[in-house]
Amino acid sequence: NLTGGPQGFRIDNVFVMAGIPGVMQAMLKSLEGKLQSGPVVRSISVTAYLGESQIAGPLRTIQERYPTADLGSYPFFRNDRYGTTLVMRGADTATLDAMLAEVEDAIRDGGEVPQDIQRG
């Protein structure tokens, strides 16, 4: 830390820095040229007004079919209904698109309509 404040440290490829924005910015500047990058991880989320238990079986099958991506479910209670936001993450957009198509089919098979699809 070039500011003389809290010190950071490194364990393998993990850099731990102070949470104070100005201090962290100074610490990041000292890491220029030292950080390695990897593939960009993308995400797609879709909302379904289905409980996790109603869609767990199909989601397990989809996840097994796409081992290079992650499929997570995040339950919620909104508009007096239970639902689940399903999030797919991975580096390959074609894989994510294929997963999304299968997740949408699973939602429809569960009697609901896929909603609020977002890409990031």
Side-chain angles (χ1 to χ4, degrees), residues 17-28:
M17 294 176 250
I20 304 164
V23 175
M24 182 178 158
Q25 289 170 354
M27 294 172 94
L28 278 172

Side-chain angles (χ1 to χ4, degrees), residues 46-51 55 76 81-86 103 107 112-115:
V46 58
T47 297
Y49 280 98
L50 294 168
I55 199 168
F76 62 82
R81 297 177 71 191
Y82 287 102
T84 305
T85 298
L86 304 163
V103 168
I107 293 168
E112 291 294 333
V113 177
Q115 298 181 27

Side-chain angles (χ1 to χ4, degrees), residues 50-60 73 75 84:
L50 294 168
E52 283 181 300
S53 62
Q54 293 173 277
I55 199 168
L59 294 180
R60 184 180 309 109
S73 60
T84 305

Side-chain angles (χ1 to χ4, degrees), residues 20-44:
I20 304 164
V23 175
M24 182 178 158
Q25 289 170 354
M27 294 172 94
L28 278 172
K29 285 181 186 174
S30 73
L31 296 176
E32 285 181 15
K34 296 178 185 173
L35 298 176
Q36 297 176 347
S37 65
V40 175
V41 176
R42 306 284 184 200
S43 69
I44 301 175

Side-chain angles (χ1 to χ4, degrees), residues 7-120:
Q7 297 299 303
F9 59 93
R10 175 183 181 179
I11 300 174
D12 296 323
N13 67 338
V14 177
F15 293 83
V16 179
M17 294 176 250
I20 304 164
V23 175
M24 182 178 158
Q25 289 170 354
M27 294 172 94
L28 278 172
K29 285 181 186 174
S30 73
L31 296 176
E32 285 181 15
K34 296 178 185 173
L35 298 176
Q36 297 176 347
S37 65
V40 175
V41 176
R42 306 284 184 200
S43 69
I44 301 175
S45 65
V46 58
T47 297
Y49 280 98
L50 294 168
E52 283 181 300
S53 62
Q54 293 173 277
I55 199 168
L59 294 180
R60 184 180 309 109
T61 301
I62 294 167
Q63 178 64 83
E64 289 170 354
R65 202 171 1 264
Y66 300 97
T68 61
D70 294 316
L71 176 56
S73 60
Y74 303 89
F76 62 82
F77 185 76
R78 187 182 311 143
N79 302 325
D80 295 324
R81 297 177 71 191
Y82 287 102
T84 305
T85 298
L86 304 163
V87 180
M88 295 143 274
R89 290 186 179 95
D92 182 51
T93 55
T95 297
L96 293 178
D97 289 338
M99 283 182 86
L100 175 62
E102 291 189 31
V103 168
E104 288 178 302
D105 288 343
I107 293 168
R108 287 186 196 96
D109 289 347
E112 291 294 333
V113 177
Q115 298 181 27
D116 196 27
I117 297 171
Q118 297 185 17
R119 296 174 182 271

